Amino acid sequence: SKGEGQKLYSYAFENGFDVPPEDPDAPKKMLLDSYIIINISGESVPKTETESLINERNADLDSVFLETFNMNFNTSRPFQENDGTVNYIENYAKLRINSNGLFEYDCMDASKGLELGEGIVSDYDIIKKAGEFLEKVNSVSTLPVGNNYVFNRLEKKENRYEIYFDLTYNGIPVILNRASGTESNVKITVEGTKIISYKQNFIACKPAGGDFEIKNMITALDDFYSIY
């Protein structure tokens, strides 16, 4: 039985969403993994919005960022784009900072990248070191309550690793832009044991006021099938 205010969930196999229709003439449907958890009661969740954590930049903040990436504020060559994005270039490295929160570091020569440190012998070590570097970069600002970073995945090709971290708000991953393939908040590219690229959106989530209703999964799937 269902208590008042209690949400109901079930596995996909309990509702037959993991098997095709028995009637061969019936319309084909999208099949789900048997153990996907389905929300069958719907729920109300608080509305949220994002804010940039570096929208009030200054020379001191930029200097800290540069130092974190082994660049020097006094010797790097800065130039500003029309939208206010500031680029710092020093030798083979470039740091790009936008007040909307987008932050990018690139090293044009992999041999000059940022050394992750000693003792790297496995994929786990790469992920651990990348996570530690993420913490170091983010030590310049404080994440608001409810915001955290979690490891998403590692993509490996020969000697190059791409490590992805997600921003979560109250335990729920924040999807930035799935269509463009940049849904993860942080992407760190490592070649060998050196960081050659670091991209992050310095944003956080906060309450926006009010709630919105999420349909239960069965209704949502019915709507999907009626369209496609």
Side-chain angles (χ1 to χ4, degrees):
S1 63
K2 175 185 175 185
E4 184 177 352
Q6 180 181 353
K7 300 183 180 68
L8 289 181
Y9 299 90
S10 67
Y11 289 110
F13 73 83
E14 295 179 289
N15 293 275
F17 290 126
D18 62 333
V19 293
E22 293 183 359
D23 183 355
D25 297 323
K28 293 182 179 180
K29 66 177 183 179
M30 178 179 63
L31 302 182
L32 304 181
D33 183 89
S34 301
Y35 290 96
I36 284 181
I37 296 176
I38 294 176
N39 166 16
I40 60 175
S41 62
E43 60 183 294
S44 176
V45 298
K47 292 181 179 179
T48 59
E49 60 186 6
T50 60
E51 61 178 341
S52 170
L53 298 179
I54 53 175
N55 58 351
E56 296 182 0
R57 287 183 25 254
N58 53 58
D60 290 337
L61 179 59
D62 285 6
S63 179
V64 173
F65 277 131
L66 286 162
E67 183 179 354
T68 303
F69 286 85
N70 290 347
M71 298 174 67
N72 190 306
F73 181 79
N74 296 316
T75 58
S76 59
R77 303 187 304 278
F79 69 91
Q80 186 166 310
E81 300 176 20
N82 292 333
D83 64 355
T85 300
V86 176
N87 295 264
Y88 293 95
I89 298 175
E90 184 177 18
N91 299 323
Y92 297 97
K94 180 174 77 171
L95 194 64
R96 190 169 182 264
I97 308 173
N98 190 303
S99 57
N100 67 8
L102 184 60
F103 181 96
E104 300 175 278
Y105 162 86
D106 287 290
C107 184
M108 280 65 80
D109 183 344
S111 67
K112 307 293 184 182
L114 299 170
E115 182 62 58
L116 276 177
E118 300 179 351
I120 297 177
V121 295
S122 66
D123 292 352
Y124 169 79
D125 296 327
I126 289 283
I127 296 168
K128 182 174 182 292
K129 292 288 186 180
E132 291 172 353
F133 187 78
L134 167 65
E135 291 181 354
K136 180 180 179 181
V137 174
N138 285 269
S139 65
V140 303
S141 63
T142 302
L143 278 175
V145 173
N147 289 267
N148 288 288
Y149 289 108
V150 296
F151 171 70
N152 178 304
R153 69 188 186 277
L154 169 71
E155 295 182 2
K156 181 179 178 181
K157 185 177 181 181
E158 296 180 351
N159 199 37
R160 177 170 292 202
Y161 305 80
E162 292 181 350
I163 306 102
Y164 296 84
F165 294 89
D166 288 343
L167 176 70
T168 64
Y169 183 60
N170 292 334
I172 301 174
V174 177
I175 306 301
L176 299 181
N177 191 339
R178 180 176 283 131
S180 68
T182 56
E183 66 268 23
S184 288
N185 188 263
V186 179
K187 175 185 176 182
I188 304 174
T189 304
V190 176
E191 188 164 312
T193 60
K194 296 180 184 291
I195 295 175
I196 60 172
S197 176
Y198 182 101
K199 294 179 173 61
Q200 176 175 352
N201 276 283
F202 268 90
I203 58 171
C205 290
K206 62 180 182 180
D211 297 327
F212 67 90
E213 301 298 321
I214 297 179
K215 292 181 178 181
N216 67 67
M217 187 70 167
I218 296 175
T219 301
L221 283 172
D222 287 342
D223 291 345
F224 177 84
Y225 293 143
S226 68
I227 298 173
Y228 301 100

